[in-house]
Amino acid sequence: VKIDINCDMGESFGSYVLGHDQELMPMISSANIACGFHAGDPMVMRDTVRLAKKNNVKVGAHPGYPDLQGFGRRSIEMTPEEVEEMVLYQIGALAAIARAEGVELFHVKPHGALYNQAAVNISLARAIAQAVVRYDRNLILFGLAGSQSIQAGVDCGLVCFNEGFPERGYNPDATLMSRKLPGAVIHSPHEVAENAYRLTINGIELNILDEKRYIKPDTLCVHGDNPNAVLICKALIQRLEKG
Amino acid sequence: VKIDINCDMGESFGSYVLGHDQELMPMISSANIACGFHAGDPMVMRDTVRLAKKNNVKVGAHPGYPDLQGFGRRSIEMTPEEVEEMVLYQIGALAAIARAEGVELFHVKPHGALYNQAAVNISLARAIAQAVVRYDRNLILFGLAGSQSIQAGVDCGLVCFNEGFPERGYNPDATLMSRKLPGAVIHSPHEVAENAYRLTINGIELNILDEKRYIKPDTLCVHGDNPNAVLICKALIQRLEKG
Amino acid sequence: VKIDINCDMGESFGSYVLGHDQELMPMISSANIACGFHAGDPMVMRDTVRLAKKNNVKVGAHPGYPDLQGFGRRSIEMTPEEVEEMVLYQIGALAAIARAEGVELFHVKPHGALYNQAAVNISLARAIAQAVVRYDRNLILFGLAGSQSIQAGVDCGLVCFNEGFPERGYNPDATLMSRKLPGAVIHSPHEVAENAYRLTINGIELNILDEKRYIKPDTLCVHGDNPNAVLICKALIQRLEKG
Amino acid sequence: VKIDINCDMGESFGSYVLGHDQELMPMISSANIACGFHAGDPMVMRDTVRLAKKNNVKVGAHPGYPDLQGFGRRSIEMTPEEVEEMVLYQIGALAAIARAEGVELFHVKPHGALYNQAAVNISLARAIAQAVVRYDRNLILFGLAGSQSIQAGVDCGLVCFNEGFPERGYNPDATLMSRKLPGAVIHSPHEVAENAYRLTINGIELNILDEKRYIKPDTLCVHGDNPNAVLICKALIQRLEKG
């Protein structure tokens, strides 16, 4: 089974090292690179672009809220207008560092609280999609499968990738369970691998009222910031290759 | 007498308002827009790009040290590599916001301590010139007339604008007097206007050993952050028009 | 009529000047000094403490969310635990600068979004009250009159000042109208002065279900960040003195 | 041989984990806790104070330059006045969090570039000593043995601890070798242990002109941020106990 595999990358900052970028980069096809607001700094961004290039991995901007301490996982009460310009700022910053390395951006995927809010808040979703369109309408927008993020992107004429999360528990409405709840993050490589296969083949289950729908994902997200990320990623890839 | 007039713009931040952008923009030809590190934020950047566009003023990136409290006037001990990526980051951020407004960047001018250090420190100057070249070799680099900044830019194949400062006192080596010294900043509109005319016609005096040279400026800088900036700018322009 | 008059002070930052501290300080009795998170920096904090001391004005900590760009007016999704330690941090920072000037803190008043949320969210209110108690149970907590902030403070054994806002429009439940709504901020000195007198004598009206209550304020807030702050403050004080 | 052992602690930030605080805390006698400018945040500060308290370790403030990306190791061109208020701010912030845990501060030790500059720059050293004296003249100032830091502290009437670095290479003038040079940081537990013993017994060698002096250290610093910090610390303590 063939599907794009994306991973958040470049989440180190200054002396602080986070993630398993070296080991994971060769296994994925799209890297979402932090842009210095919730993680990353210009040096880390450059190194991550270089690592992606070396591994023929596509590079995307991974904009987040300006909150290094909260790692972009705490929402900040910004207006859609503020979000739009903030996203443009971060896309541009990464695009410049990438261009200096001879790399063009492939996609944009919002991070953390921004991602989760955009999935359910159409004004925020539109602000993000607008930022992408105004920067470059050929960029692909990654968003939670079947969510407002995708709707807003499609409305703006963007090619959108419905994203699935084999490592995360889902709510019945196909949003992600809060990280604060038990079962929100799955740690077993085997379980994640099976999820990945199932999501890819069957799609993501969405229960609205008494209707059940399935949304086929265009990309699967693997997380780089958990201790056995490398094992998980290996298991997942083998499972998909096995078919 | 015809010469480019540039001014630092977009130095407000959040609720904090600084400068006289509305009044000065119609009088200048190039706007150096702060990129969020020493001043400015994404909303201010957007508004400033729009104001420049409306007034047919060229837009340039004005990257500075990451020091809002010190307004980019305190040097930070960064390696040339760190400076290079930091400058790329800031150029890209502004370029994206400008592009979303249909505006392409014309130039890059480093700010404050970064500008002053680049004038005398060739490694720093090269780091900045490299960032510009790697981003877009058609951008023009503004630097202190006759300084290392210009040398580094020329070495990299960039078109460089020698910049003159009619509002600032000069040292004999054609560097700017420290702002801490009396006479470093000239406040009389008449005096600034006469300086502007003299600098444009005669060039900037440079005394090395017993030799005297004159460097013709390609652009003159007017400051937006002093109380009578508007009067100064008017006087200067009238004087140059009078010839 | 005698009542404490408080004002947010020390909201400048680096080169950015905000407010009318010099003119207002002689007219008030309590200064809420920003602690560097939403406004203020160590130099501004020191200068503001000195100014308060010179004018025999009591000094209080004015902690806010870590959001200089949003001036602490955008809420950030922090846990009560995070808020508690953040408030302790800011109280301590100001207390140290004050102590170095021979000044002891008198009170604590949360700022902006933190203030407004604490008024309606008891967990947040408790986090703030706990921070104050743990630092020094003799400090007075300022909170929106009749709100959860006051309730939480009283529960912790703190002396609390019910605060009234003669410059702000009220909702029927005695919370402040959002700044985004028309009528939220009153600009007429005369109207503010009459409000101040009425609030002091009659109390703040609180309509719950069909019951009407009045809460007597212990302190009135005047804002330093609007253009005619000085006129407003003068008018208010004259009105209260006239009785 | 008995001597105080200090270690930089609480250098994590938000999601970023740094150091080996859990393992090292039981082995040391004084913890220098980062105050949120170069590392640390209010939650990390609280947890570190608690850990120190549980292990009967004395708590000190470890103020640094406001530069998380550079980990406080890049100097920033601040005036002595700015440094003084910034140090006060950081001492106060930690003191408040410590006081809330029932812990009083024992000492102050500047961090990184601030520490190294204070060792050779008497104005900066005085600014730091002044901040300590103005906050609490009973706090002990830690500084590089025999340096300007100690001189400034003594001039202010502070009790000062001359600090020795068994893990660092020294220059002939008893300053630390730059971290950029080979041999600046010693990684062998055995070598560090022998250094520790030698420094404690013989003192730190200081060669000025043709004169040789030895300065007895009052405290030894072990670093928490290198991979074998725990082994190093164990070896050092055993060597000192063996005598």
Side-chain angles (χ1 to χ4, degrees):
Chain A
V1 196
K2 276 249 160 192
I3 186 164
D4 182 58
I5 309 281
N6 77 76
C7 184
D8 299 353
M9 290 276 174
E11 295 184 328
S12 294
F13 180 83
S15 301
Y16 294 109
V17 177
L18 199 74
H20 302 80
D21 294 12
Q22 292 286 345
E23 298 95 324
L24 292 175
M25 196 66 92
M27 297 194 252
I28 65 168
S29 42
S30 303
N32 320 310
I33 301 184
C35 302
F37 274 48
H38 71 279
D41 65 47
M43 296 296 279
V44 169
M45 290 160 73
R46 181 198 64 181
D47 292 345
T48 312
V49 167
R50 285 184 180 171
L51 184 65
K53 187 183 184 183
K54 209 177 109 187
N55 287 279
N56 289 313
V57 168
K58 285 165 297 193
V59 162
H62 196 40
Y65 280 119
D67 177 21
L68 198 64
Q69 193 190 329
F71 200 61
R73 288 184 179 151
R74 309 187 293 198
S75 78
I76 300 180
E77 196 187 15
M78 293 173 72
T79 63
E81 235 188 329
E82 286 174 326
V83 166
E84 186 170 338
E85 298 304 320
M86 177 188 78
V87 168
L88 269 168
Y89 185 102
Q90 295 185 54
I91 294 174
L94 180 68
I97 288 173
R99 189 202 280 200
E101 303 295 329
V103 171
E104 291 296 315
L105 298 191
F106 172 70
H107 68 290
V108 174
K109 170 180 167 179
H111 170 84
L114 191 61
Y115 184 93
N116 292 326
Q117 289 181 286
V120 294
N121 178 333
I122 190 70
S123 339
L124 215 59
R126 269 192 200 122
I128 295 166
Q130 273 299 116
V132 177
V133 168
R134 289 167 72 209
Y135 184 71
D136 180 355
R137 54 181 59 253
N138 296 313
L139 288 174
I140 292 171
L141 180 63
F142 284 25
L144 186 70
S147 75
Q148 303 287 355
S149 297
I150 299 293
Q151 188 58 54
V154 168
D155 291 349
C156 287
L158 289 171
V159 174
C160 295
F161 271 22
N162 279 287
E163 186 171 21
F165 290 82
E167 276 168 286
R168 296 292 299 273
Y170 277 92
N171 298 314
D173 64 350
T175 57
L176 299 180
M177 286 172 63
S178 162
R179 279 176 181 271
K180 289 168 198 159
L181 297 178
V185 180
I186 301 163
H187 295 287
S188 144
H190 176 73
E191 205 178 327
V192 173
E194 289 306 316
N195 274 350
Y197 182 72
R198 190 175 42 77
L199 292 177
T200 309
I201 297 298
N202 299 347
I204 296 146
E205 200 177 299
L206 170 63
N207 292 287
I208 298 179
L209 302 173
D210 282 328
E211 216 195 338
K212 206 176 253 191
R213 273 177 56 210
Y214 289 88
I215 310 150
K216 280 279 176 106
D218 303 301
T219 184
L220 295 182
C221 179
V222 294
H223 287 101
D225 62 346
N226 83 46
N228 48 347
V230 179
L231 289 179
I232 284 178
C233 199
K234 273 187 188 155
L236 178 153
I237 284 166
Q238 284 177 351
R239 184 65 188 87
L240 293 178
E241 279 175 355
K242 201 183 97 183
Chain B
V1 194
K2 278 249 161 191
I3 187 164
D4 181 59
I5 310 282
N6 77 76
C7 183
D8 298 354
M9 290 277 172
E11 295 184 329
S12 294
F13 180 84
S15 302
Y16 294 107
V17 177
L18 199 75
H20 302 81
D21 293 12
Q22 291 287 344
E23 299 94 324
L24 292 175
M25 196 66 92
M27 298 195 252
I28 66 169
S29 41
S30 304
N32 320 310
I33 301 183
C35 301
F37 274 48
H38 71 277
D41 64 48
M43 296 295 281
V44 169
M45 288 159 75
R46 182 199 64 182
D47 293 344
T48 312
V49 167
R50 286 185 181 170
L51 185 65
K53 187 184 184 183
K54 209 177 107 187
N55 286 280
N56 290 312
V57 168
K58 285 164 296 194
V59 162
H62 195 41
Y65 280 120
D67 177 21
L68 198 63
Q69 192 190 329
F71 201 62
R73 287 183 179 153
R74 310 188 292 198
S75 77
I76 300 180
E77 197 188 11
M78 293 173 73
T79 63
E81 235 187 328
E82 286 174 325
V83 166
E84 186 170 339
E85 298 304 320
M86 177 188 79
V87 167
L88 268 168
Y89 184 102
Q90 295 185 55
I91 295 174
L94 181 68
I97 288 173
R99 191 204 278 200
E101 303 296 329
V103 171
E104 292 296 317
L105 297 192
F106 173 70
H107 67 292
V108 174
K109 170 180 164 177
H111 169 82
L114 191 60
Y115 184 93
N116 292 325
Q117 288 180 285
V120 295
N121 177 332
I122 190 69
S123 338
L124 215 59
R126 269 191 201 123
I128 295 166
Q130 273 299 115
V132 176
V133 168
R134 290 168 72 210
Y135 184 72
D136 180 354
R137 57 178 60 254
N138 295 313
L139 289 175
I140 291 170
L141 180 64
F142 284 25
L144 186 71
S147 74
Q148 303 286 355
S149 297
I150 299 293
Q151 189 57 52
V154 168
D155 291 348
C156 288
L158 290 170
V159 175
C160 295
F161 271 24
N162 280 288
E163 186 172 20
F165 289 82
E167 277 167 286
R168 296 291 300 274
Y170 277 92
N171 297 314
D173 64 350
T175 58
L176 299 180
M177 285 172 63
S178 162
R179 279 175 180 273
K180 290 169 197 159
L181 297 179
V185 181
I186 302 163
H187 296 287
S188 145
H190 175 72
E191 203 178 330
V192 174
E194 289 305 317
N195 274 351
Y197 182 74
R198 189 176 41 77
L199 291 177
T200 310
I201 297 299
N202 298 347
I204 297 144
E205 201 177 298
L206 170 63
N207 293 287
I208 298 179
L209 302 175
D210 282 329
E211 214 194 341
K212 205 177 254 192
R213 273 177 54 210
Y214 290 89
I215 309 150
K216 279 278 175 108
D218 303 300
T219 184
L220 295 182
C221 179
V222 294
H223 288 99
D225 64 344
N226 84 45
N228 49 347
V230 180
L231 289 178
I232 284 178
C233 198
K234 273 187 188 155
L236 177 154
I237 284 166
Q238 284 177 352
R239 184 65 188 87
L240 293 178
E241 279 175 356
K242 200 183 97 185
Chain C
V1 196
K2 277 251 159 187
I3 187 165
D4 181 59
I5 309 283
N6 77 76
C7 184
D8 298 353
M9 290 276 171
E11 295 184 328
S12 294
F13 180 83
S15 301
Y16 294 109
V17 177
L18 199 75
H20 302 81
D21 294 12
Q22 291 287 344
E23 298 94 324
L24 291 175
M25 197 65 93
M27 297 195 253
I28 66 170
S29 41
S30 303
N32 320 309
I33 301 184
C35 303
F37 274 47
H38 71 279
D41 65 47
M43 295 295 279
V44 169
M45 289 160 74
R46 182 198 64 181
D47 292 345
T48 312
V49 167
R50 286 186 180 170
L51 185 65
K53 186 184 184 183
K54 208 177 109 187
N55 287 278
N56 289 312
V57 168
K58 283 164 297 191
V59 162
H62 196 40
Y65 280 120
D67 177 20
L68 198 63
Q69 193 189 330
F71 200 60
R73 288 183 179 150
R74 311 187 292 197
S75 78
I76 301 180
E77 196 188 13
M78 292 173 73
T79 64
E81 235 188 328
E82 286 174 326
V83 166
E84 186 171 336
E85 297 304 320
M86 177 188 79
V87 167
L88 268 169
Y89 184 101
Q90 295 186 53
I91 294 174
L94 181 68
I97 288 173
R99 189 202 278 201
E101 303 296 329
V103 171
E104 291 296 317
L105 297 192
F106 172 70
H107 67 291
V108 173
K109 171 181 167 178
H111 170 83
L114 190 61
Y115 183 92
N116 292 325
Q117 289 180 285
V120 294
N121 178 332
I122 190 71
S123 339
L124 215 60
R126 270 193 201 121
I128 295 167
Q130 272 299 116
V132 176
V133 168
R134 288 168 73 209
Y135 183 71
D136 180 355
R137 55 180 60 254
N138 296 312
L139 288 175
I140 292 171
L141 179 64
F142 284 24
L144 187 69
S147 75
Q148 303 287 354
S149 298
I150 298 294
Q151 188 59 53
V154 169
D155 291 349
C156 288
L158 289 171
V159 175
C160 294
F161 272 22
N162 279 287
E163 186 173 19
F165 289 83
E167 276 168 286
R168 296 291 299 275
Y170 276 92
N171 297 315
D173 65 350
T175 58
L176 299 180
M177 288 172 62
S178 162
R179 280 177 180 272
K180 290 168 195 158
L181 297 178
V185 182
I186 302 163
H187 295 287
S188 144
H190 176 72
E191 204 178 327
V192 173
E194 289 304 319
N195 274 350
Y197 182 72
R198 190 175 43 74
L199 291 178
T200 309
I201 296 297
N202 299 347
I204 297 146
E205 200 177 299
L206 170 64
N207 293 288
I208 299 178
L209 304 173
D210 282 328
E211 217 196 337
K212 204 176 253 190
R213 272 176 57 209
Y214 289 88
I215 308 150
K216 280 279 174 105
D218 303 301
T219 184
L220 295 182
C221 179
V222 294
H223 288 99
D225 63 344
N226 83 46
N228 48 348
V230 179
L231 288 178
I232 284 178
C233 198
K234 273 187 188 156
L236 178 153
I237 283 166
Q238 284 177 352
R239 184 65 188 86
L240 293 179
E241 280 176 354
K242 200 182 100 185
Chain D
V1 196
K2 278 251 160 189
I3 188 165
D4 182 60
I5 308 283
N6 77 77
C7 183
D8 299 354
M9 290 277 171
E11 294 184 328
S12 294
F13 180 83
S15 300
Y16 295 108
V17 177
L18 200 75
H20 301 79
D21 293 12
Q22 291 286 343
E23 298 95 325
L24 291 175
M25 196 66 90
M27 297 195 254
I28 65 169
S29 41
S30 304
N32 320 309
I33 301 184
C35 302
F37 274 47
H38 71 278
D41 64 48
M43 295 295 280
V44 169
M45 289 160 75
R46 183 199 62 179
D47 293 345
T48 313
V49 167
R50 286 185 180 170
L51 185 65
K53 187 184 183 183
K54 209 177 108 187
N55 287 279
N56 289 312
V57 168
K58 284 164 295 190
V59 162
H62 196 41
Y65 280 120
D67 176 21
L68 198 63
Q69 192 189 329
F71 201 60
R73 288 185 179 150
R74 312 188 291 199
S75 79
I76 300 180
E77 197 189 12
M78 292 172 73
T79 63
E81 236 187 328
E82 286 174 325
V83 166
E84 185 171 338
E85 298 303 320
M86 178 189 77
V87 168
L88 267 169
Y89 185 102
Q90 295 186 55
I91 295 174
L94 180 68
I97 287 173
R99 189 203 280 202
E101 303 295 330
V103 172
E104 291 296 315
L105 298 191
F106 173 71
H107 67 291
V108 174
K109 170 180 166 178
H111 170 83
L114 190 61
Y115 184 93
N116 292 327
Q117 288 180 287
V120 295
N121 177 333
I122 190 69
S123 338
L124 215 59
R126 269 192 201 124
I128 295 166
Q130 273 299 115
V132 177
V133 167
R134 288 168 72 209
Y135 184 70
D136 181 354
R137 55 179 61 253
N138 295 312
L139 288 174
I140 292 170
L141 179 64
F142 284 25
L144 187 70
S147 75
Q148 302 288 353
S149 297
I150 299 293
Q151 188 59 54
V154 168
D155 291 348
C156 287
L158 290 171
V159 174
C160 295
F161 271 23
N162 279 287
E163 187 172 18
F165 290 82
E167 277 169 286
R168 297 291 300 276
Y170 276 91
N171 297 314
D173 65 349
T175 58
L176 299 179
M177 286 173 63
S178 163
R179 279 175 180 272
K180 290 167 196 157
L181 297 179
V185 181
I186 302 162
H187 295 288
S188 146
H190 176 72
E191 203 177 329
V192 173
E194 289 305 319
N195 273 350
Y197 182 74
R198 190 175 42 75
L199 291 177
T200 308
I201 297 297
N202 298 347
I204 298 144
E205 200 178 299
L206 170 63
N207 294 287
I208 298 177
L209 303 174
D210 282 327
E211 214 194 340
K212 204 177 258 193
R213 272 177 56 211
Y214 290 89
I215 309 150
K216 281 277 175 107
D218 303 301
T219 184
L220 295 183
C221 179
V222 294
H223 288 100
D225 64 344
N226 84 46
N228 48 349
V230 180
L231 288 179
I232 284 178
C233 198
K234 272 187 190 157
L236 177 153
I237 283 167
Q238 284 178 351
R239 184 65 187 87
L240 293 179
E241 279 175 355
K242 201 182 97 185

